[in-house]
Amino acid sequence: MKQPPLLLLLLLLLLLPFLLSTINAATAATPTLSPAPPSTETPSSLDPKQIRALQSLNIPTARDPCLQPSPHNATICDTSKPFRRLVSLHLSNCSSDLSLSSTALKSLSSLHSLSFTDCRASPIRFPSDLSLSLTSFSCIHSLRRLTGLWLSRFVNLTDLTVSNTPINTRGLYVILGNMHKLKTLTISHANLSGSFPRHMHLNLTHVDLSNNKLKGKIPTSLTLLEDLEFLNLSSNGLNGVIPTEFGDLISLKNVSLASNSFSGSIPDSMSAIPGLVHVDLSNNQLNGTVPNFFSELKELKVLNLENNQLHGVLPFNASFIKRLDVLKLGGNGNLCYNHSSLSSKMKLGIAPCDKHGLPISPPPSKESSSSRDSESESSDYDDDSGSADDTSEKKERHHGPNRVVLGVAIGLSSIVFLIVFLVLLSKWCA
Ligand SMILES: *[C@@H]1O[C@H](CO)[C@@H](O)[C@H](O)[C@H]1NC(C)=O
Ligand SMILES: *[C@@H]1O[C@H](CO)[C@@H](O)[C@H](O)[C@H]1NC(C)=O
Ligand SMILES: *[C@@H]1O[C@H](CO)[C@@H](O)[C@H](O)[C@H]1NC(C)=O
Ligand SMILES: *[C@@H]1O[C@H](CO)[C@@H](O)[C@H](O)[C@H]1NC(C)=O
Ligand SMILES: *[C@@H]1O[C@H](CO)[C@@H](O)[C@H](O)[C@H]1NC(C)=O
Ligand SMILES: *[C@@H]1O[C@H](CO)[C@@H](O)[C@H](O)[C@H]1NC(C)=O
Ligand SMILES: *[C@@H]1O[C@H](CO)[C@@H](O)[C@H](O)[C@H]1NC(C)=O
Ligand SMILES: *[C@@H]1O[C@H](CO)[C@@H](O)[C@H](O)[C@H]1NC(C)=O
Ligand SMILES: *[C@@H]1O[C@H](CO)[C@@H](O)[C@H](O)[C@H]1NC(C)=O
Ligand SMILES: *[C@@H]1O[C@H](CO)[C@@H](O)[C@H](O)[C@H]1NC(C)=O
């Protein structure tokens, strides 16, 4: 009669490793919360003048605005004594009757960062102490309407963002003329007109001027920006060829020249930009052939060349195409692919070539010219020539499910084994 508890113990012992590993896996999946660092500084409170300014801007001050994190990250203070002072202020979702007063702004000249999001107050002239103190200014769908001159007074800015707010100005040069420290510039959906300034600041790393009314050609001043990593000029009225000097932008990672009127061919000099990740040249009038160098760019993930006038045989092989997240080629009537090296299942959005390198009509249907996503359509490649060199990424993806299946299998088989063992044992004992 002493056998059953013994057997139960044995069973538990055998199952223990399996149970433990399950528990481990479950706990590893939930992030561990690190304890907040102990606060060492002696608390001091915000400058009373600045408290009054915050109240006039409808920012609640019942709770100390210097306590972090502040609601909506609206306020950040420095540690000065006897009173702390605001270094960052974010006004968002303001009530429609909010008005900025000179008195309030005068007392806020300690601010380095000021941002407005969905805050349709009328812009007033900023006191010069505040204008000079700001290194970061952001206005997203706020302040109704700005002028270039108004913005140009923030001469110490390193970051400027204006989007979904119209700017009335003779040109970008008015705004940027004295901002010699600017690193990131976003002026997007801002009805900005005129052409590019003849001088741009060499330290710019990020330029987004998308969705405006800029005209003219890409100037040399832009191609001198050796540190530029991000350039978005999409949806403007720019024209001319993409200059050979474009290849001098050696730090570039993401670039969009989409939806302008650029013509001529894609310059071979772009092959000198080693880190390109995202290239969007869609919706222009680019002609010539698709250059082969794109397949040499090790980091490339997104290539959009659709709706241009590119022609000839697509120079890419299946393993390169599979490596990309997005490849769009549709809307180039004379571009085709070699069906002896690429499968029609790749849905490239272009027709296969005949033996002269011209597209076989009829052109592909509209649907198939949409983006192809290598993740969801990876099974389409199972039968084509490039499937041998499966990417390591895909192997990684199969890793997860396999481990679970293995665990379950081990668990189940050990239970079956135990049952058989117990049955045998009980028969043997009886
Ligand atoms: C506040 O800022 C921190 C760090 O920048 C961020 O992690 C957090 O999500 C922000 N909180 C809110 C409510 O925006
Ligand atoms: C903005 O404020 C209105 C009311 O004042 C509120 O209904 C809305 O949820 C707020 N939106 C955000 C994003 O805070
Ligand atoms: C900002 O620029 C002005 C004039 O160019 C300069 O005098 C001042 O020291 C700069 N820095 C700050 C923090 O105001
Ligand atoms: C945009 O700019 C044009 C002039 O270039 C002007 O006529 C128009 O009113 C502006 N639109 C807005 C919304 O400011
Ligand atoms: C660019 O930044 C570097 C330091 O990051 C600085 O030494 C240099 O003077 C800056 N150049 C310009 C034109 O502002
Ligand atoms: C450029 O800006 C447009 C609209 O502002 C956006 O849709 C697009 O994704 C951006 N492109 C890149 C490469 O960031
Ligand atoms: C490409 O376009 C340019 C400028 O529009 C034109 O001069 C050139 O002849 C075109 N080349 C081809 C091959 O169509
Ligand atoms: C650059 O492009 C890649 C690929 O599309 C994207 O994941 C990344 O967020 C982009 N970077 C910026 C700064 O937009
Ligand atoms: C595909 O093209 C790339 C770049 O041109 C090359 O390095 C690679 O060896 C090619 N792969 C196959 C399977 O031909
Ligand atoms: C297509 O590829 C095959 C072999 O890969 C080659 O013999 C043929 O010439 C190519 N056709 C065209 C039109 O480039």
Side-chain angles (χ1 to χ4, degrees):
M1 282 319 276
K2 272 184 186 168
Q3 264 161 5
L6 196 78
L7 280 178
L8 214 70
L9 201 73
L10 205 69
L11 188 130
L12 269 175
L13 271 176
L14 278 169
L15 277 178
L16 206 61
F18 176 63
L19 284 174
L20 275 181
S21 71
T22 327
I23 290 164
N24 265 348
T27 48
T30 57
T32 47
L33 293 170
S34 54
S39 149
T40 48
E41 61 198 40
T42 49
S44 82
S45 55
L46 187 60
D47 187 330
K49 267 193 222 149
Q50 296 199 332
I51 290 186
R52 281 197 294 279
L54 291 181
Q55 283 162 347
S56 82
L57 297 169
N58 295 345
I59 293 191
T61 53
R63 179 182 176 276
D64 183 356
C66 294
L67 281 179
Q68 291 304 310
S70 57
H72 308 289
N73 282 341
T75 48
I76 299 176
C77 307
D78 66 9
T79 53
S80 52
K81 304 260 170 71
F83 294 120
R84 300 178 71 175
R85 287 155 60 86
L86 289 164
V87 291
S88 171
L89 177 61
H90 184 195
L91 296 169
S92 61
N93 202 15
C94 305
S95 74
S96 52
D97 59 357
L98 179 76
S99 64
L100 304 172
S101 79
S102 299
T103 327
L105 293 179
K106 269 210 182 73
S107 66
L108 292 173
S109 60
S110 58
L111 288 176
H112 297 318
S113 171
L114 177 59
S115 61
F116 298 89
T117 305
D118 292 315
C119 194
R120 311 281 286 163
S122 292
I124 60 166
R125 191 185 165 90
F126 278 24
S128 71
D129 279 355
L130 177 58
S131 300
L132 293 180
S133 156
L134 291 178
T135 58
S136 172
F137 178 78
S138 165
C139 171
I140 299 170
H141 194 248
S142 298
L143 303 182
R144 298 163 201 264
R145 156 182 294 275
L146 300 176
T147 68
L149 270 175
W150 190 87
L151 287 166
S152 71
R153 300 178 66 236
F154 302 141
V155 297
N156 288 324
L157 289 186
T158 59
D159 302 284
L160 170 61
T161 299
V162 177
S163 81
N164 293 285
T165 306
I167 301 178
N168 186 5
T169 184
R170 266 182 296 153
L172 198 52
Y173 71 94
V174 176
I175 302 169
L176 301 184
N178 291 312
M179 292 182 190
H180 298 298
K181 300 171 184 168
L182 207 58
K183 284 197 151 69
T184 73
L185 168 67
T186 297
I187 298 180
S188 155
H189 285 100
N191 203 28
L192 186 67
S193 54
S195 55
F196 272 96
R198 242 173 298 154
H199 299 285
M200 303 273 283
H201 309 297
L202 295 181
N203 280 2
L204 281 164
T205 60
H206 182 113
V207 171
D208 181 350
L209 297 170
S210 59
N211 284 280
N212 285 299
K213 299 199 301 197
L214 295 173
K215 289 201 172 59
K217 301 185 193 327
I218 291 182
T220 319
S221 61
L222 189 71
T223 57
L224 290 175
L225 305 178
E226 282 186 2
D227 293 335
L228 195 66
E229 292 178 10
F230 180 100
L231 177 64
N232 193 341
L233 301 177
S234 66
S235 302
N236 278 287
L238 300 167
N239 62 13
V241 300
I242 303 174
T244 309
E245 294 79 15
F246 203 83
D248 296 345
L249 294 170
I250 50 166
S251 304
L252 208 55
K253 294 192 169 83
N254 294 37
V255 56
S256 175
L257 304 179
S259 304
N260 282 286
S261 302
F262 290 114
S263 57
S265 56
I266 299 171
D268 276 328
S269 64
M270 275 178 88
S271 64
I273 310 175
L276 282 174
V277 172
H278 187 129
V279 176
D280 187 351
L281 305 177
S282 62
N283 299 299
N284 281 290
Q285 286 125 47
L286 298 170
N287 65 14
T289 55
V290 173
N292 185 32
F293 70 75
F294 284 119
S295 60
E296 313 286 335
L297 297 172
K298 298 278 178 284
E299 311 292 327
L300 196 66
K301 286 286 168 217
V302 175
L303 179 61
N304 188 348
L305 302 175
E306 72 186 0
N307 299 322
N308 279 291
Q309 288 145 31
L310 300 165
H311 71 265
V313 183
L314 186 72
F316 301 155
N317 64 25
S319 49
F320 168 68
I321 292 172
K322 270 190 287 180
R323 205 188 78 204
L324 297 177
D325 291 335
V326 176
L327 173 63
K328 295 186 182 185
L329 300 166
N332 288 285
N334 292 321
L335 186 64
C336 59
Y337 68 90
N338 186 338
H339 61 285
S340 54
S341 53
L342 294 176
S343 157
S344 64
K345 291 181 178 174
M346 287 189 145
K347 298 191 174 141
L348 296 171
I350 52 175
C353 305
D354 64 13
K355 61 179 187 293
H356 308 291
L358 296 171
I360 295 170
S361 47
S365 68
K366 190 68 197 160
E367 294 151 346
S368 62
S369 73
S370 64
S371 109
R372 46 157 292 278
D373 179 337
S374 57
E375 208 163 316
S376 61
E377 291 172 17
S378 55
S379 61
D380 285 355
Y381 305 129
D382 287 346
D383 63 342
D384 63 53
S385 54
S387 65
D389 52 1
D390 222 352
T391 58
S392 55
E393 209 181 318
K394 274 191 196 157
K395 281 175 195 149
E396 200 73 69
R397 250 178 261 145
H398 291 146
H399 207 103
N402 279 350
R403 213 186 287 181
V404 171
V405 167
L406 201 71
V408 169
I410 289 176
L412 280 179
S413 56
S414 52
I415 289 170
V416 167
F417 170 77
L418 265 169
I419 291 171
V420 170
F421 179 72
L422 287 177
V423 167
L424 283 178
L425 200 71
S426 61
K427 275 190 181 170
W428 185 60
C429 289

